[in-house]
Amino acid sequence: MTDRALSFGVMAQAYERFRPGYPPELFELVTAYAGRPIRTALEIGAGTGKATRLFARQGIAVTATEPDGAMLAELRRHVPAGVRTLRAAFEVLDLPPGDRYGLVYAAAALHWTSPEGRWSRMAGLLEPGGVFACFGGPVQPADPAVEDAVRAARAPFLESDEVPSPDGTPPEHAMQWPGTELQRSEWFTGVRQSVIERRLTLSSHDYVGHLSTVSAYLVLPPPEREEVLGRILRVLPETVEIAADITVHLARRHDGRQE
């Protein structure tokens, strides 16, 4: 998992080009849950700033943290000037004493953090009653026949290109990770899971471009990576309808009051 977590920097520009951003509905969902204005936010594993832009453009003072220098450099080229950036992993964040935020969030990055002390550390970054948000989801062909063709093309190299559930929650369970961990945590309450349905249309080359930024492919030896991506491209139609639903988990720092 560590190798996969640190694999993205070599493809920072491709990540920015091919990874989809986040829709306004996500901001609306988070702020409605918060029930009060969010003035400050800390982002964990900001990547190239896809989610950073969504929140910063709504007037929130965002501090974006990212351990990979190449990803952070790409982020700085695209986010509003007021965004504060820090090169740091979540586990070793060195913030001024007393820094607390109304929102702490992770966009398709929380699974790369260490589980030990995760939730106590997260709660310590939040104001009393502050909100934690985690969101992301797979980007895959909506047509089952196309998905089967991609799976067959990938099979000699990769059984799956998804990141497994960090706590082993089966995909059929109603509550998915990290909601499962949040429900068990003494530090958070009011855990909610929502899904923002999203469909995209990509060219076959852009979909393969997206796959080229996925960690499962990035950690393959370059000749194998080139071969498997070429095989996938050959089985795709000219345009690919994509299912890119966003699963959102929300929770509130526990301040002694039950919701």
Side-chain angles (χ1 to χ4, degrees), residues 76 102 106 118 140 246 256:
R76 288 169 175 152
R118 177 189 284 134
Q140 56 196 21
I246 303 168

Side-chain angles (χ1 to χ4, degrees), residues 214-247:
V214 172
S215 61
Y217 299 94
L218 287 171
V219 297
L220 290 174
E224 291 187 15
R225 181 167 64 243
E226 184 176 342
E227 175 66 20
V228 67
L229 293 175
R231 289 189 182 200
I232 291 171
L233 181 62
R234 289 192 288 273
V235 304
L236 292 173
E238 186 175 341
T239 59
V240 187
E241 296 299 316
I242 296 297
D245 293 350
I246 303 168
T247 300

Side-chain angles (χ1 to χ4, degrees), residues 13 31 62 66 109 142 173 218:
Q13 291 184 356
T31 53
V62 177
E66 166 59 45
H173 276 209
L218 287 171

Side-chain angles (χ1 to χ4, degrees), residues 29-36 38 101-106 110 119 122-123 126-135 175 178-194 248-255 257 259:
L29 186 67
V30 173
T31 53
Y33 176 86
R36 64 185 186 184
I38 298 172
Y101 300 85
L103 170 69
V104 176
Y105 67 93
L110 188 71
W119 300 117
M122 200 74 72
L126 284 164
E127 301 169 353
V131 170
F132 169 74
C134 176
F135 43 88
M175 178 62 74
T180 46
E181 285 188 9
L182 285 162
Q183 287 180 324
R184 298 191 295 266
S185 171
E186 64 181 301
W187 299 99
F188 287 90
T189 188
V191 180
R192 295 185 192 173
Q193 176 178 284
S194 303
V248 185
H249 289 97
L250 295 162
R252 199 180 311 278
R253 176 181 149 173
H254 196 291
D255 61 1
R257 296 189 303 271
E259 292 189 351

Side-chain angles (χ1 to χ4, degrees), residues 21-218:
Y22 292 95
E25 291 86 349
L26 174 60
F27 174 79
E28 294 163 7
L29 186 67
V30 173
T31 53
Y33 176 86
R36 64 185 186 184
I38 298 172
R39 296 182 174 85
T40 60
L42 178 72
E43 182 173 5
I44 306 299
T48 66
K50 296 286 186 176
T52 319
R53 280 162 265 186
L54 175 68
F55 290 95
R57 287 171 179 165
Q58 298 296 329
I60 297 174
V62 177
T63 296
T65 68
E66 166 59 45
D68 188 286
M71 297 288 274
L72 198 60
E74 190 69 23
L75 174 147
R76 288 169 175 152
R77 285 193 275 270
H78 299 284
V79 299
V83 172
R84 178 190 180 200
T85 59
L86 294 174
R87 183 178 180 181
F90 171 63
E91 294 79 8
V92 293
L93 277 178
D94 186 16
L95 298 170
D99 265 23
R100 298 292 183 270
Y101 300 85
L103 170 69
V104 176
Y105 67 93
L110 188 71
H111 50 276
W112 302 127
T113 63
S114 172
E116 187 172 352
R118 177 189 284 134
W119 300 117
S120 60
R121 188 177 298 113
M122 200 74 72
L125 296 167
L126 284 164
E127 301 169 353
V131 170
F132 169 74
C134 176
F135 43 88
V139 174
Q140 56 196 21
D143 184 336
V146 176
E147 174 63 13
D148 286 346
V150 169
R151 187 180 300 109
R154 183 184 67 219
F157 304 89
L158 291 169
E159 181 179 350
S160 172
D161 58 10
E162 295 184 14
V163 176
S165 172
D167 69 351
T169 301
E172 64 271 13
H173 276 209
M175 178 62 74
Q176 289 293 301
W177 185 91
T180 46
E181 285 188 9
L182 285 162
Q183 287 180 324
R184 298 191 295 266
S185 171
E186 64 181 301
W187 299 99
F188 287 90
T189 188
V191 180
R192 295 185 192 173
Q193 176 178 284
S194 303
V195 176
I196 299 172
E197 293 186 359
R198 184 169 62 163
R199 295 294 180 270
L200 308 172
T201 301
L202 302 180
S203 71
S204 57
H205 285 275
D206 281 358
Y207 178 59
V208 171
H210 168 82
L211 292 180
S212 76
T213 73
V214 172
S215 61
Y217 299 94
L218 287 171

Side-chain angles (χ1 to χ4, degrees), residues 11-23:
M11 294 295 287
Q13 291 184 356
Y15 194 105
E16 172 59 29
R17 177 181 173 185
F18 295 115
R19 290 280 182 123
Y22 292 95

